[in-house]
Amino acid sequence: MVLIKIKNMRFCFFLLLVFCTMMSCKNKYETEKVSVENRFSVELPYYLKKTKGLNEDAILQYSNAVKELYVVVLEEKKDKLLNSLNKDSLSKENNVMSLEEYSSLCYERLENHTEELKDFDVKNSVINGLNAKDAEFVVKISGVNMYYNYVILEGTDYYYQLFVWTLLRHKPEQYPVIRGLISTFREY
């Protein structure tokens, strides 16, 4: 009788060990690190696939139409920005546009090209050492409410715009994935 209990305990311990091992492997492989031109990297959910057509200016585009999750990264070289804009209206410090100025310009562009922008909330943030403006909002596109997390990051030589979006109804389950993805953005 004692021998049977010991065997049952061993079997239960074995099952627990297998379960824990499977769970740790699952967490290990949930994301994949994507590097772009040795400038930056971001860890994306394994189910996102490289795509085209989300934004013609994007340096990184990934999506999953089934899960309705989309990621786009745009970049702009800091020193080229001032050449294309009115330098007199910008700060003169190091002849480079500040994060505050750049983000204001980006938000203005967004508002000019977006109808029915709602619940726009911006916070200052730091992501892996990069100063950032972290915005969340809802926008209606073709009658469908979309949730966006739009982060503008100040790199050494570039400004990066990280757009992650999903259907508003998918926000509750996608929000932790979106925030986790954003937190992995790194400049080299």
Side-chain angles (χ1 to χ4, degrees), residues 4-157:
I4 292 174
K5 285 184 180 182
I6 291 174
K7 284 184 179 181
N8 283 341
M9 284 178 47
R10 283 184 185 168
F11 181 73
C12 288
F13 179 75
F14 174 76
L15 286 178
L16 181 62
L17 183 64
V18 169
F19 177 76
C20 290
T21 303
M22 288 174 50
M23 290 307 291
S24 68
C25 289
K26 181 179 182 242
N27 289 337
K28 232 182 214 181
Y29 299 106
E30 283 185 357
T31 63
E32 68 174 303
K33 185 176 182 178
V34 177
S35 297
V36 176
E37 299 179 11
N38 286 328
R39 281 204 296 277
F40 70 88
S41 68
V42 64
E43 291 182 27
L44 300 174
Y46 69 92
Y47 52 79
L48 291 179
K49 301 299 178 210
K50 194 172 190 174
T51 189
K52 294 181 181 179
L54 297 175
N55 186 305
E56 65 186 32
D57 297 325
I59 190 161
L60 178 143
Q61 300 181 66
Y62 277 74
S63 70
N64 183 304
V66 173
K67 292 190 177 279
E68 295 285 351
L69 185 62
Y70 306 91
V71 180
V72 166
V73 177
L74 305 173
E75 66 177 6
E76 291 190 86
K77 195 144 176 67
K78 287 179 173 182
D79 60 2
K80 291 186 180 179
L81 282 170
L82 290 178
N83 295 334
S84 63
L85 299 169
N86 178 4
K87 294 180 186 181
D88 296 334
S89 67
L90 304 172
S91 68
K92 301 293 185 197
E93 186 178 324
N94 298 327
N95 205 27
V96 175
M97 185 183 293
S98 72
L99 176 60
E100 193 68 40
E101 292 164 332
Y102 181 70
S103 61
S104 292
L105 179 69
C106 291
Y107 298 145
E108 186 178 310
R109 285 186 209 156
L110 179 69
E111 289 173 357
N112 290 338
H113 291 92
T114 309
E115 294 179 24
E116 298 190 51
L117 185 66
K118 299 183 277 187
D119 304 326
F120 195 84
D121 182 36
V122 180
K123 295 178 180 134
N124 291 322
S125 180
V126 177
I127 298 171
N128 293 313
L130 300 177
N131 290 326
K133 296 288 187 174
D134 191 341
E136 296 181 57
F137 58 92
V138 174
V139 64
K140 190 175 272 193
I141 300 173
S142 301
V144 178
N145 285 322
M146 304 295 291
Y147 164 76
Y148 276 79
N149 203 162
Y150 174 30
V151 181
I152 300 170
L153 302 111
E154 182 176 15
T156 305
D157 296 319

